[in-house]
Amino acid sequence: MVGAERNEQQRYNPAEIEPRWQALWDANPALYAAESHTSGKPKFYCLEMLPYPSGQLHMGHVRNYAIGDALARFMRMRGYNVLHPMGWDAFGLPAENAALKNNTPPREWTLKNIEQMKVQMRRIGLSYDWAGTEIATCLPEYYRWNQWFFLKMVEAGLAYRRSSKVNWCPKCATVLANEQVVGGCCWRHEDTLVEQRELEQWFLGITKYADELLDGLDAMPGWPEKVRTMQRNWIGRSEGAHVDFRVSAMADTPAITVFTTRVDTIFGATSIQLAPEHPLVKEWVKNDAELAKAVTEMIAQQKVARETGDIGNIEKHGVATGKTAINPFNGETLPIWVANYILADYGTGAIMSVPAHDDRDFEFANKYGLPVVQVVAPRDSAEDVALPYGGEDDAVLMDSGAWTGETPVAAQEKMARFAEEHGFGKKTTTYRLKDWGVSRQRYWGTPIPMVYCANGHAGVKPGGVVALPESSLPVLLPEQIEITQEGGSPLGKVPEFVNTTCPVCGGPARRETDTMDTFVDSSWYFYRYTDSRNSHAPFDSEKANYWFPIDQYIGGVEHAILHLIYSRFWTKVMRDLGLIKNSEPAERLFTQGMVIKDGAKMSKSKGNVVSPDDMIARYGADATRMYALFAAPPDRDLEWQEEGVAGISRFLARVYRLTIKYAPVVRTLEGAVHGDEVAAGQFAGQTIEGAALLRTLHQTIAKITEDFNGRWHFNTCIAAIMILVNEVTAAESAMDKGGIAPATVAELLRTLTLLLAPFAPFLAAELWRELGETTDVFQQHWPAADAQLARESEIEIPVQVNGKLVTVLKLASGSDDEAISAASLADEKVSARLVGKTIVKHLVIKSKLVNLVVK
RNA sequence: GCGGGAGUGGUGAAAUGGCAGACACGCAGGUCUUAGAAGCCUGUGCCGUAAGGCGUAGGGGUUCAAGUCCCCUCUCCCGCACCA
């Protein structure tokens, strides 16, 4: 009957369908807007990391957003109030480089890129609430709140200025945070070695939160173990002790404070080792030309090794200073050396060397013939142990005065207390994490809202730093400016910007000309989304408290340290300012894998970049994003194969053909109920074919629904939809002959469309309309799986003999173990295997499988 | 060196201790076509004409049953690294 109505088949044409729907969606800004915080629905904050507006979307973006958009659409259909925002991480160096190259102002270049990328994102059909949430961090409406937070941190003693050794990228012509140095090179210029410079810089006191940042990781089950481990390593908490060693015969020289995690081994110390850049060494080289030469060489060598990533492998060497120090625990005199394996910026830059119980000290002592004194040994086997010996669980101290016989752990505690009581040491904790240096000598960033009062006033000496009042915010970035890469901050060359008055005394003042690290912008942007048009505050606390924490954050693992640690820090600061209640920004974090091509990360230099625009032009946005979900589970790397996209496109074309073919039948069914309103009994009078199709349908619903709840194996979800479509296609002749009730056909096609909606929104919208619906497919309820309909009528029972498959029995659904057992013995193939054997065990497992153990 | 992850057909992959390779890609044969493209149908882990045997990096173990759990080894990817 249906076949007769078949017209000339329309072909699936995404190039026509997709822009048509896109235009409709663009014209309706409220379509994906979240309801307010007073909504009665449960909330769901679905967030993807905001992109840098380079002007070109890449496949990594497409994959990231395809995952987030599928989830956002699914959650909406499940009845949640979904916040799904998007914005632009719009400050940063590329805009300045582009300005140099093309003579375009950074602002213009950035805003143009944003427009381009927004066009691309809309073309993909991503369901963002553009009108309600979109932010660009380079606009004063946004960055004024960076300045506001900065002032709050100055007030709280969390932002401060000091001179220190900093990482300097010559290409960026600016300072970098420790987090932005990757393998000794700049994170943006992987071939550019980072130099060390001494500069006055602004720092944020992230180390005040080091313990909370570290301990909090244990209570974050929704974050990948990998990310939590990386953050633990980065924070690098190390419990130990400081011990002061007096320098012999130099009463006015300060004692050398060493940091050690093994104070229990101090009786085995045979030398003191200083970093080449230790302050005492700097003093001593003044009167010792030979020492000066050796130290200078070591510093140069350390620098080279650090830059080439070889630090850790360079040969240990050192030089004796000729000076000695006193071990406060036993009064022994130890030689003081300078060694190239001691780092100036970790601990105190000085160690006590215990060759018997530390690999590095052992290597060093052997080379220079320093004594090796064992003071820890296994409890039972005395001192017969290979050195260096770390001291396992059953170890005890030997030759260690009052502490001899103690376990190392007990001794560490007692000896640190002893040192403290006698004033030459204390228990202490060292972190690898350093305070966050946020000053950048660049133009395209947030101006730091501080001035230097030229003449000074009460409490501020001439040239001293003064915070601007909140009322003077925003400090605007000047627009017309000459960008250069030399001669310090570009802002320093703009007199109208630099010259100002002191807000306290009214005298002349000079503005801070450094700008903030762009990671400041991204540390709190997701709070702004909850109230992005607020001009009185960064956001309304009530709104933020409704939406936070983020229910699902999705992005690349490359931000595991940088952005994800800074934004955790910022959240804690905001909590302590009383702005929010949550202590962590995101309940769940998902890090998707990379998109690779020919086995390597896509890059211009390798020439293996696949452009999303090309893919969309050839196969459509639906096929492109669906392939990104189908080709691999989302947490794994994805090898981009164009044939695969073509395959998805063919699949969508089959769905399209099938739906268009039967749509006329569906449309003529008046008042048909559908979706989850269908009563289970409705399809009771099915033909066998109809029942089989409904069974697969409901199995598919169940599978996809379950997967969205956490497993996120969208590749197998899409495979399940393919299986369903394959079955429907195979039943076409039955459908044509009227072997399947029209209501069933309608149910199948409507539900199939709903199941496709999170993955292929354009096609779903088109087919929903073709099926005669006037509502928006994304406002529909997600279909409910009916366990009755999903149940198999016949079960397949594999039968094994000694664990090897012999046959598969087909039995009526609901057969009990006894029936299964009997059927397995009655089978010919099985009995052939049993000739001359004795059955030892006859196992029927969970009504699913039979295993006969025979001898 | 430390930490995390991975290793399954020609390829992407699937399999929550229970039939290894679902679903795709590719390939081969067929069909339709004046021809091609697109469809559609069939086949496709390896060895073997077949019956059958073998098979999840390698080795061992636990179990009625192991890709999956445990131990050892190898390889690859990612992060950190002379961190005292």
Side-chain angles (χ1 to χ4, degrees), chain A residues 337-356:
Chain A
W337 287 62
V338 180
N340 68 340
Y341 70 101
I342 310 302
L343 305 172
D345 56 1
Y346 183 77
T348 58
I351 65 150
M352 61 177 200
S353 175
V354 185

Side-chain angles (χ1 to χ4, degrees), chain A residues 126-141:
Chain A
L126 302 169
S127 62
Y128 297 123
D129 176 10
W130 290 108
T133 64
E134 185 184 7
I135 56 160
T137 58
C138 64
L139 300 177
E141 299 89 270

Side-chain angles (χ1 to χ4, degrees), chain A residues 352-373:
Chain A
M352 61 177 200
S353 175
V354 185
H357 305 293
D358 181 281
D359 292 336
R360 293 152 300 171
D361 295 344
F362 188 78
E363 189 187 330
F364 189 86
N366 271 353
K367 179 166 175 178
Y368 290 101
L370 292 165
V372 177
V373 177

